[in-house]
Amino acid sequence: MAMPTKAQIFEYWMDWLDKKEFDWGEPCCWACKRHFGAKFDLEKPQSTREEIIKNWNSVPLQRCHIIPRQFGGEDTPSNLFLMCKSCHDKAPNTKSHEIFLNWAEKQNFTLDLKENFMRELRTFELSDRIDDVNKILENKELMKQIYSSSGLHMNQVRGGVEITISSIVGQIAEELKRQD
Ligand SMILES: [Zn+2]
């Protein structure tokens, strides 16, 4: 059997996604809910059901096996799940559907961002200076400067450009050194 398209996989999972409060017209990773930007969002409510389904083919998500091929998992929509690259790399590969879905439902991109921020605070030895860091984050003028001197990086997971958290935290560390 040929690998189903992303639209076919979406069509199979539509009701499940709806129950989990995913927005059909604003594609995101089905595990961490990372959104892929307005480029892939549909104008609502003008879009037809057919357009909504077809739109998923263009989203930079990967078709991931729930039960891997090595354990007899098939290339059927019921055994495939659309996720971003980083979730695909982290997902469980077992003989159990349940382990996979339990894991998927616990993923959270916003929490990952917070964890990344905390990690970079440790990198730049700012973990015990949260109050000072917050003061800088609240300083609009300073943050404008920090953002404008942060380069844009092509994110390999999302496919869009963004400023890395390490650029921001690194510059906050420099600023605090200047102030000390
Ligand atoms: Zn994800």
Side-chain angles (χ1 to χ4, degrees):
M1 184 186 175
M3 190 80 164
T5 64
K6 291 181 213 178
Q8 287 168 333
I9 296 167
F10 169 74
E11 195 173 9
Y12 174 87
W13 289 90
M14 272 178 110
D15 292 335
W16 184 88
L17 290 164
D18 195 40
K19 269 190 220 124
K20 304 287 175 190
E21 297 180 351
F22 282 83
D23 190 323
W24 293 342
E26 289 180 12
C28 68
C29 168
W30 295 356
C32 72
K33 287 137 200 114
R34 195 192 297 252
H35 178 234
F36 287 87
K39 192 172 139 192
F40 302 104
D41 291 352
L42 286 179
E43 296 271 341
K44 288 164 287 181
Q46 296 96 314
S47 306
T48 65
R49 183 185 160 95
E50 213 184 335
E51 283 166 343
I52 290 170
I53 293 172
K54 217 178 130 218
N55 181 48
W56 283 80
N57 277 332
S58 62
V59 183
L61 287 167
Q62 302 192 333
R63 296 172 288 184
C64 314
H65 287 88
I66 294 178
I67 295 173
R69 282 202 186 105
Q70 70 191 112
F71 295 136
E74 294 182 335
D75 297 343
T76 50
S78 63
N79 191 46
L80 291 162
F81 201 78
L82 300 184
M83 297 195 294
C84 71
K85 254 189 204 170
S86 62
C87 286
H88 199 179
D89 281 345
K90 285 187 285 193
N93 296 294
T94 74
K95 295 174 186 173
S96 164
H97 243 257
E98 207 182 334
I99 289 176
F100 183 94
L101 288 179
N102 280 343
W103 173 86
E105 285 177 45
K106 297 277 157 49
Q107 303 310 301
N108 182 329
F109 172 61
T110 317
L111 269 187
D112 287 351
L113 270 184
K114 269 188 209 155
E115 276 166 20
N116 284 347
F117 191 78
M118 298 313 281
R119 194 186 59 226
E120 300 303 2
L121 287 181
R122 286 195 298 276
T123 307
F124 291 101
E125 298 174 358
L126 295 173
S127 301
D128 52 3
R129 300 195 63 183
I130 306 281
D131 288 345
D132 294 331
V133 170
N134 278 333
K135 254 178 233 155
I136 294 189
L137 287 172
E138 284 159 14
N139 183 330
K140 279 189 187 147
E141 266 315 299
L142 209 48
M143 285 313 291
K144 221 194 220 167
Q145 273 175 40
I146 287 177
Y147 273 108
S148 67
S149 49
S150 301
L152 291 173
H153 171 75
M154 178 61 110
N155 186 295
Q156 302 183 57
V157 173
R158 288 166 58 114
V161 288
E162 64 179 34
I163 289 172
T164 58
I165 293 173
S166 53
S167 312
I168 303 297
V169 178
Q171 292 184 87
I172 290 175
E174 291 293 300
E175 177 57 30
L176 285 173
K177 259 185 227 158
R178 269 195 292 275
Q179 291 181 7
D180 287 341

